[in-house]
Amino acid sequence: MHMNRSDVKIHKDRLRQIEDHLRHSHDTMGVKRDAIGFVEVVHHPTYVLPELNYVTPRRKTALVPGKHVEDGISSLRDHRRSARMLYVEELFPSFFGQSLEKIGLSLEERFPLCVIDLSDPINAEPRFDNLSVQTVINQQGIEIWSLVWRNAKYRVYGTPLEPLQIGKQYIHQNKVVDVILYHHATPIAVARLTIHNKTAHLMARALMRSTQPLHLHQWLIQVAAQTAIEQDCTLMFICDADVEQLLSASDLPCQQEGNMLCYTDSIDQPYGEETHDTVEQPLLLT
């Protein structure tokens, strides 16, 4: 679909908001950033999770020479981290991916960035009997995720771009909001939002496997969107290929805004993982 200049600007501004949000989140998780030419080498001193160790173009950079990427990858390997290049596809010319292939990298994954516009009111009226909603920004959220993430009764839907982190230190450093749906006194669904400036990232959600009707999943996202509005956000994004289809029958204005591309080197062997447990959603305990 053809976009005029105004639409293109809105489109790119939204993608930059997402970039800025993820940058802030990774910074609060303790990553270090080394500038090498027109790229940044992002690495975590403790965790080898690929989500926290990668090379990415520096901000306000439109073109990146392949030599700068090579130097960044070399530096990342010096930190005993596997080669990984991460960038928003729509913010760079189409030939950038070809230049990465010329230096030996290949496209590993394309992560869709789905955006929900929060400029209009969200209909989050209850659709089920005996359900209640609680929004928490405290220790209770930590306890809920400690229960849910390793419990076989729940299915966790995560994001490959922002690890789920639970712990007092992280909660103190980040604006984190947990939305919990209860059936009577039983938590049957939970969603986590991270908030930065005017953006919210629906970065994890979990539903009890025995109670997963489509409408409940849709309603959980709608309640999360309403919560983001209450936090003064104008945009909520989700990195999930299935979200657009999931919400197609709902009232939420959801669309795929772009893609985060991940390029890797297939010859790299992964370095030793940490001892913390993981499920579908990487989790850090702090």
Side-chain angles (χ1 to χ4, degrees):
M1 182 180 67
H2 177 73
M3 291 190 291
N4 59 38
R5 287 188 178 182
S6 177
D7 291 337
V8 169
K9 184 179 185 305
I10 293 172
H11 171 65
K12 290 191 173 183
D13 284 348
R14 284 179 170 178
L15 292 173
R16 291 189 181 101
Q17 280 182 268
I18 293 172
E19 264 193 330
D20 187 56
H21 186 116
L22 294 172
R23 178 187 180 90
H24 171 78
S25 175
H26 292 177
D27 285 348
T28 60
M29 291 182 185
V31 302
K32 308 297 181 184
R33 295 180 183 272
D34 302 330
I36 298 181
F38 288 162
V39 302
E40 280 187 333
V41 180
V42 181
H43 56 97
H44 197 285
T46 304
Y47 296 109
V48 302
L49 284 173
E51 292 85 356
L52 299 178
N53 297 275
Y54 54 90
V55 175
T56 193
R58 293 179 65 177
R59 286 192 289 187
K60 299 181 180 179
T61 299
L63 292 173
V64 179
K67 179 64 166 61
H68 293 194
V69 176
E70 286 184 297
D71 291 344
I73 293 295
S74 177
S75 175
L76 193 61
R77 286 174 171 149
D78 288 343
H79 291 289
R80 295 184 56 77
R81 302 293 186 256
S82 299
R84 193 172 196 248
M85 179 73 186
L86 205 63
Y87 71 97
V88 177
E89 180 179 21
E90 289 73 15
L91 295 181
F92 290 86
S94 57
F95 60 77
F96 184 49
Q98 298 171 5
S99 68
L100 296 179
E101 293 173 356
K102 288 180 180 178
I103 63 173
L105 301 180
S106 57
L107 180 63
E108 180 183 73
E109 287 194 79
R110 173 180 275 106
F111 304 124
L113 301 171
C114 295
V115 167
I116 296 174
D117 185 355
L118 303 179
S119 57
D120 295 323
I122 299 296
N123 178 17
E125 292 298 318
R127 300 182 181 182
F128 305 91
D129 295 331
N130 303 314
L131 275 190
S132 60
V133 179
Q134 185 178 17
T135 301
V136 296
I137 315 177
N138 54 23
Q139 178 68 25
Q140 190 172 355
I142 299 174
E143 293 169 358
I144 283 291
W145 280 107
S146 297
L147 165 70
V148 164
W149 77 275
R150 60 175 45 163
N151 193 325
K153 293 181 179 180
Y154 295 85
R155 179 176 176 184
V156 177
Y157 300 83
T159 170
L161 299 177
E162 187 175 359
L164 173 62
Q165 186 168 17
I166 58 176
K168 292 181 180 179
Q169 179 181 348
Y170 177 70
I171 297 296
H172 290 161
Q173 291 176 335
N174 249 316
K175 189 167 185 181
V176 175
V177 181
D178 291 304
V179 178
I180 310 167
L181 304 187
Y182 289 94
H183 181 252
H184 297 295
T186 302
I188 62 169
V190 57
R192 166 159 289 189
L193 292 167
T194 55
I195 310 293
H196 177 59
N197 293 331
K198 296 288 186 178
T199 66
H201 183 197
L202 181 53
M203 52 82 65
R205 56 198 193 279
L207 284 86
M208 188 173 282
R209 293 182 186 273
S210 61
T211 56
Q212 281 199 75
L214 173 64
H215 293 310
L216 179 62
H217 201 162
Q218 290 173 336
W219 188 52
L220 174 65
I221 298 175
Q222 287 177 290
V223 173
Q226 178 59 44
T227 302
I229 291 175
E230 293 167 1
Q231 297 294 320
D232 202 28
C233 293
T234 58
L235 176 153
M236 183 173 85
F237 70 97
I238 315 169
C239 181
D240 189 328
D242 299 323
V243 163
E244 215 175 345
Q245 181 178 357
L246 175 69
L247 297 179
S248 61
S250 74
D251 299 328
L252 286 178
C254 177
Q255 66 178 19
Q256 184 174 333
E257 199 73 35
N259 296 283
M260 185 75 77
L261 300 188
C262 174
Y263 279 78
T264 59
D265 189 336
S266 59
I267 68 170
D268 270 15
Q269 296 296 318
Y271 291 96
E273 294 294 334
E274 307 83 352
T275 57
H276 67 275
D277 296 309
T278 59
V279 287
E280 291 116 318
Q281 169 73 342
L283 180 132
L284 309 181
L285 296 170
T286 59

